[in-house]
Amino acid sequence: MRTTASSFVPMWDRQAEWQRRMEMVRQAREFLYLSLFYIEYDAYGREMLDALLEAQRRGVRVQLIIDGFGQRLGGVLMTRGDRAALSAALGALRAAGAVVTMYRPPRFVQRRLAGGHHVKIQVSEAGEAILSSGNVTKSSFEGWNEYAMAVRGAVVSVLLESCALIGGAVSPEHVAQLQAMAAAEPEDISLDYWFCNPNLHQSRSGALGWRGPNAITDRMIEMVDVSQRSLCITSFYFKPTEPLMAAVLRAARRGVHVEVHHSHRDALPATDLAWIAAAVRYRELLSAGVHIYENRHGEHSKIVLVDDEWVACGSYNFEDAAHDRLAEAMLASRDERVVAPARAIFDGLRRDPDNEQVTPEAMDQWPAWVWRRVARYGRFKRWM
């Protein structure tokens, strides 16, 4: 949908985003909404949970929406003691009157197949919203590359209303308050907001046999198909749903300079399966002319830049799960104030010594055990 903003602040610097997030929580006086894929019980998670509890106790209406599957998946990274402490902290928030929701899709098959939400939105009555690629974890703020946007204006109430589609109980009064605030601010930044929760559009069989339509996937394909000179993409691991992969290959084969920046195998210590799901298509991508870069410390941003003049950013990874299992959100624009920061990010990535280009010669040096794992598990790419 078309919307507008009166202000757009890009945040590539991880600590700049964290400070802005915490300032919003600490200055909130009426309401605060926060949606996350998961929260880790580390220094960042504890600081956020303490601040949310303090806000609730001073009278702020706090609502925290966490994805049930994402939290279970993220819990693998925590000790049993940390999981127990996190549960206690969430319980304390609830006891203080905050609304803490673990989102789970309505259908049994969806829940069994890891359906959920992957949307990261933070909004308060101050009239600002943050849409981010990251979670509240040390990995997001001290490890991987992430990208967030702080916006003001009409887009803020639109973002807040999305929380109702991922399990939140959004107050109409809060939406109206933000709309009234936006009406008083001059707005000249044109945006498109793309949102889809596939779990709301599926039959009893969930993601099994479902291919769409997904509004975000469709818009992504349109972006890729109109590219004429360049197409630059960041994603956690590049393993898109097949129609989107086909569009990227088409672009490269018609002469568009295509760059894919994603994570190295070692960037996710818990498992290499997500990397394998991407690596299984490397030969095909390289043969088509796609330039692939692996970031050793982890690329978790989600940015698509077309011809250096049209950009989309948000939570959508290039993966099957983003298409058929997870709610996602993206902001797109041709406004130079939105496009220029993305251009600068890709310029920086090309100079980053941790960002290594994948070549056929480099692949020939992979150990035999890597090739065996790619051959064994690559066929399950849709589910990894």
Side-chain angles (χ1 to χ4, degrees):
M1 66 174 294
R2 294 291 179 87
T3 185
T4 55
S6 59
S7 172
F8 178 91
V9 179
M11 290 178 288
W12 181 247
D13 180 271
R14 309 309 310 121
Q15 290 306 304
E17 180 192 340
W18 183 248
Q19 295 304 319
R20 199 172 189 110
R21 280 187 177 277
M22 295 310 301
E23 183 179 5
M24 182 190 294
V25 176
R26 290 172 178 143
Q27 292 186 359
R29 292 297 178 266
E30 298 178 37
F31 62 83
L32 187 131
Y33 294 78
L34 175 59
S35 69
L36 298 167
F37 188 55
Y38 78 100
I39 182 169
E40 194 165 344
Y41 198 73
D42 55 17
Y44 291 90
R46 290 190 293 272
E47 184 177 358
M48 176 61 78
L49 290 167
D50 288 346
L52 291 175
L53 181 59
E54 181 182 342
Q56 181 64 38
R57 286 174 172 168
R58 68 173 178 264
V60 179
R61 295 174 63 181
V62 172
Q63 183 164 168
L64 177 61
I65 310 162
I66 306 173
D67 182 61
F69 166 73
Q71 192 58 50
R72 189 168 72 251
L73 186 67
V76 173
L77 304 174
M78 291 184 274
T79 66
R80 181 179 298 180
D82 283 346
R83 289 194 295 270
L86 175 62
S87 180
L90 295 175
L93 258 180
R94 290 188 180 98
V99 178
V100 180
T101 302
M102 285 288 175
Y103 174 69
R104 294 178 175 86
R107 300 185 183 278
F108 173 77
V109 173
Q110 292 170 331
R111 296 190 293 272
R112 294 290 292 176
L113 295 179
H117 92 75
H118 193 240
V119 178
K120 300 88 182 275
I121 294 173
Q122 183 171 318
V123 182
S124 82
E125 85 286 340
E128 179 170 288
I130 296 173
L131 177 64
S132 177
S133 64
N135 299 292
V136 177
T137 72
K138 183 178 180 179
S139 295
S140 283
F141 288 97
E142 293 186 16
W144 303 330
N145 285 337
E146 304 276 11
Y147 187 52
M149 301 153 282
V151 291
R152 296 185 63 87
V155 64
V156 175
S157 62
V158 173
L159 290 170
L160 178 56
E161 287 178 306
S162 297
C163 292
L165 301 175
I166 55 173
V170 176
S171 166
E173 290 78 11
H174 297 164
V175 173
Q177 185 173 338
L178 292 171
Q179 289 172 337
M181 185 178 297
E185 298 180 358
E187 304 195 13
D188 63 346
I189 302 175
S190 179
L191 300 169
D192 285 323
Y193 180 56
W194 304 337
F195 176 91
C196 183
N197 183 352
N199 299 288
L200 302 179
H201 306 298
Q202 295 169 350
S203 65
R204 192 177 301 175
S205 59
L208 296 176
W210 189 86
R211 293 294 182 271
N214 179 308
I216 303 181
T217 303
D218 291 348
R219 299 293 84 73
M220 290 284 200
I221 292 171
E222 290 174 10
M223 283 189 83
V224 173
D225 278 343
V226 301
S227 61
Q228 298 178 1
R229 301 181 304 279
S230 62
L231 172 65
C232 302
I233 297 167
T234 65
S235 183
F236 190 31
Y237 286 100
F238 185 77
K239 45 192 176 75
T241 190
E242 198 55 38
L244 188 48
M245 173 68 86
V248 172
L249 290 169
R250 284 196 301 271
R253 287 167 180 157
R254 68 173 178 268
V256 176
H257 178 88
V258 179
E259 293 181 13
V260 170
H261 299 259
H262 72 161
S263 300
H264 188 273
R265 182 178 70 244
D266 298 337
L268 190 61
T271 178
D272 64 352
L273 291 179
W275 176 84
I276 286 172
V280 73
R281 303 294 291 272
Y282 274 8
R283 292 288 193 196
E284 183 179 9
L285 288 162
L286 291 173
S287 295
V290 175
H291 302 262
I292 304 171
Y293 298 84
E294 293 183 343
N295 198 304
R296 284 199 166 270
H297 63 250
E299 186 63 60
H300 199 247
S301 63
K302 303 90 169 63
I303 307 170
V304 183
L305 178 63
V306 171
D307 295 335
D308 278 347
E309 60 188 27
W310 185 17
V311 68
C313 319
S315 70
Y316 186 103
N317 279 312
F318 276 69
E319 62 178 8
D320 289 281
H323 174 74
D324 61 24
R325 273 157 281 166
L326 297 174
E328 304 282 7
M330 298 287 281
L331 281 174
S333 182
R334 296 178 183 272
D335 190 291
E336 180 63 13
R337 289 163 290 186
V338 183
V339 174
R343 277 202 301 266
I345 286 170
F346 283 105
D347 287 343
L349 288 175
R350 295 181 193 108
R351 297 191 301 268
D352 187 347
D354 286 335
N355 215 32
E356 300 177 354
Q357 186 167 5
V358 177
T359 64
E361 294 75 21
M363 291 179 65
D364 290 339
Q365 301 303 312
W366 290 356
W369 67 266
V370 171
W371 284 111
R372 287 196 297 269
R373 285 185 63 78
V374 171
R376 179 180 301 171
Y377 297 111
R379 72 192 76 177
F380 305 112
K381 168 254 179 189
R382 184 184 176 193
W383 306 106
M384 297 192 299

